[in-house]
Amino acid sequence: MSTTTSPTSPTFETAGRIVVGVDGSSQSAVATEWAARRAEALDVGLTLVLALPPLQVPSPGSLSQMLRQDARDFTTRVARSAQERLDRATSEARAQHPDLDISSALLEDSEPALALVQASKDAEMVVAGTRGLGAVRAMALGSVSRHLVSHAHGPVAVVPETGTAHDDRSAGTVLVGVEDAERSHALPVAIREAARMGGRLLVVHSWEYTPGTVEGLPVMDPDLFSRVQETFSTQLEEQVRAQLDQAPELDVEVRVGLGHAGEVLVNASHEAELLVVGSRARSGLAGAVLGSTAAHVVRQSICPVIVVPTRR
C-alpha cells in the first residue's frame, strides 16, 4: 500500500513506522535508502516527511500590494518545489522497494525539528541525515538533528553522507558505547540490533585518567593503571553477559579504552555497520544541550548512529 498526504494535511502516518526527514538533497537520499532498508528488515511502513518552516509574507500596509502578491507567489513556488522534491524522493523509494508500505507528507508552516520530534512519540524510529539543502536547510544536522536527538521521545538514527560502511570488518558489527552497562538504555537496543543482523556486538567503555604529579611532572603508576583497566574490563563483560538472555550465542567483544568517550567511539565506528549510543535528553530548554559524547558521535561517526534517549 502506498499513499501520499496532501500538502495541506496537518497529520501524517507515524505510529509503528520508520519516519525519515527528507529535503531532496543527496544526503537526504542516503538517509531515505537506509530508512527503507530498515523498514523492510523490521517489516514496518516507511513515511517520508518534508517540513517547510513558515515563510514571512508582508502584512497589509507594510509594503505595496504588488510586493505582497510577489511574496505570496514566492511561497507558492517554494511549496510547489518542495512537493516536487518529496514526490521524487517517494517515487525513488518505491522503485527501489516496491513491496514496502510507503507514505509521504509535505508539512507547510511546520518547523522540521518539531515535526520530527512529534513523530518520535509513536514512531518505531525517526531517521535524519547529517546535512540539508538550500531553502530547506533547516533539515541540516546543525539544526534539526541536534534538536531531534536532544528532544526525541524514542530512538533516532542519524545517517552520515557515507551511509553504511562497506568495510569487511564492519559488516554485521554493532558498536555500543556504555558508561554503566547495568543502567544503560543503549545496550539492550544494541543487543537486539546485533542479534537481528546476525553479526557481532562490540561494547566499548572509555575512561579518562589524570595522573598524579611530582614537582609538576605527571607520574603514572603502570601497575595501578593495569589493575584499573582489568577491573573495568572484567566488570563490564560480566554485566553485558548478564543481559544476553535473548541472544546467548551472540559474538561479543568488550573493549575498554582510555580517552574521551566520543573520540573513542568515533575511532571504533570505522569497524562497525551501526553505532548505538545513549543521550541524556531532557524535556524543556535543558534538552537543547545534547550530551557531549552523543553530540560528538553524531557529528563524526563514519557509520549510522542510533541515539537512545534517557529521560531524567
Side-chain angles (χ1 to χ4, degrees):
M1 177 183 70
S2 298
T3 61
T4 299
T5 303
S6 71
T8 58
S9 175
T11 61
F12 55 102
E13 298 177 274
T14 59
R17 301 172 70 87
I18 302 294
V19 176
V20 57
V22 303
D23 62 12
S25 66
S26 58
Q27 168 62 68
S28 171
V30 171
T32 300
E33 175 60 21
W34 188 91
R37 291 199 304 268
R38 181 167 184 86
E40 285 182 328
L42 297 180
D43 194 23
V44 299
L46 173 68
T47 298
L48 283 67
V49 177
L50 196 158
L52 281 177
L55 298 175
Q56 298 298 318
V57 177
S59 59
S62 63
L63 288 174
S64 69
Q65 177 64 33
M66 182 180 296
L67 184 55
R68 290 199 302 274
Q69 185 60 48
D70 284 348
R72 293 190 185 98
D73 291 345
F74 173 73
T75 60
T76 299
R77 291 197 301 271
V78 169
R80 185 182 301 119
S81 174
Q83 185 67 59
E84 290 172 355
R85 288 195 296 272
L86 178 60
D87 290 344
R88 185 163 52 249
T90 304
S91 295
E92 291 173 355
R94 288 171 178 162
Q96 294 294 324
H97 306 274
D99 297 325
L100 183 60
D101 172 11
I102 299 177
S103 63
S104 63
L106 173 63
L107 307 179
E108 297 187 48
D109 294 332
S110 179
E111 293 293 345
L114 298 181
L116 294 179
V117 168
Q118 179 68 22
S120 73
K121 289 183 176 180
D122 59 4
E124 175 73 23
M125 177 174 291
V126 176
V127 181
T130 53
R131 290 194 294 181
L133 174 70
V136 281
R137 193 166 179 79
M139 289 301 303
L141 175 63
S143 55
V144 168
S145 295
R146 266 209 310 266
H147 187 94
L148 177 60
V149 295
S150 296
H151 293 273
H153 302 274
V156 170
V158 179
V159 183
E161 291 179 272
T162 53
T164 301
H166 298 289
D167 191 312
D168 289 341
R169 297 175 304 165
S170 67
T173 297
V174 176
L175 166 66
V176 58
V178 298
E179 182 176 350
D180 183 339
E182 293 180 330
R183 297 184 176 87
S184 173
H185 286 67
L187 181 57
V189 173
I191 291 173
R192 289 196 299 270
E193 291 295 329
R196 180 182 64 82
M197 294 166 63
R200 73 181 182 115
L201 179 67
L202 174 57
V203 183
V204 171
H205 172 83
S206 66
W207 61 292
E208 298 183 66
Y209 173 62
T210 303
T213 61
V214 175
E215 295 183 353
L217 298 176
V219 176
M220 177 179 290
D221 182 337
D223 292 335
L224 175 60
F225 179 86
S226 297
R227 290 200 302 273
V228 171
Q229 187 86 350
E230 183 177 350
T231 299
F232 274 145
S233 297
T234 301
Q235 290 180 346
L236 180 58
E237 185 161 1
E238 291 175 352
Q239 292 171 350
V240 172
R241 294 290 178 187
Q243 298 190 43
L244 295 180
D245 295 342
Q246 296 183 349
E249 304 302 320
L250 187 62
D251 180 12
V252 179
E253 177 185 350
V254 173
R255 187 181 300 173
V256 176
L258 185 64
H260 181 271
E263 294 176 356
V264 171
L265 287 172
V266 167
N267 289 336
S269 73
H270 290 262
E271 53 184 297
E273 187 172 338
L274 180 67
L275 194 164
V276 182
V277 65
S279 74
R280 295 185 177 88
R282 297 175 173 86
S283 58
L285 293 177
V289 181
L290 179 64
S292 61
T293 297
H296 186 83
V297 166
V298 166
R299 285 195 304 269
Q300 302 293 332
S301 174
I302 196 68
C303 69
V305 179
I306 292 180
V307 181
V308 183
T310 304
R311 298 288 171 183
R312 295 183 184 276

